[in-house]
Amino acid sequence: MKKRLTQTEEFEILKLVLDKFLWLGFAVMAFGLYEMITKTVNDGIGYLIAGAAILVLFMVIIVKEYELSR
């Protein structure tokens, strides 16, 4: 017998998972800013774009997964 989660419980778990991905994207973008300050601007911009792409990609994946589970 599987126990079904309530909608509130599902949303709380979604927030916890999303928070971890936000930290990952923020860390990559912060590293890009560090690279821009200490080394070359082009390398830093690449990391900033990669961090933004990570955030958008995981956001899309998580929202689609949450909609499928409903």
Side-chain angles (χ1 to χ4, degrees), residues 17-31 46-62:
V17 171
L18 186 60
D19 184 50
K20 302 304 182 253
F21 289 124
L22 288 173
W23 277 111
L24 176 67
F26 174 75
V28 172
M29 291 179 81
F31 182 71
Y47 283 113
L48 286 175
I49 292 171
I54 288 171
L55 290 175
V56 170
L57 177 69
F58 285 131
M59 179 188 67
V60 169
I61 290 171
I62 288 175

Side-chain angles (χ1 to χ4, degrees), residues 2-63:
K2 286 188 176 180
K3 181 182 174 190
R4 300 286 298 173
L5 296 174
T6 65
Q7 189 173 11
T8 306
E9 291 171 334
E10 283 184 23
F11 186 69
E12 290 297 321
I13 292 171
L14 176 70
K15 285 193 317 187
L16 290 171
V17 171
L18 186 60
D19 184 50
K20 302 304 182 253
F21 289 124
L22 288 173
W23 277 111
L24 176 67
F26 174 75
V28 172
M29 291 179 81
F31 182 71
L33 184 62
Y34 172 76
E35 288 286 317
M36 285 177 65
I37 292 170
T38 59
K39 296 179 184 175
T40 62
V41 174
N42 291 337
D43 291 340
I45 290 176
Y47 283 113
L48 286 175
I49 292 171
I54 288 171
L55 290 175
V56 170
L57 177 69
F58 285 131
M59 179 188 67
V60 169
I61 290 171
I62 288 175
V63 167

Side-chain angles (χ1 to χ4, degrees), residues 58-70:
F58 285 131
M59 179 188 67
V60 169
I61 290 171
I62 288 175
V63 167
K64 281 187 178 182
E65 188 67 33
Y66 181 69
E67 289 174 355
L68 286 177
S69 67
R70 293 174 96 203

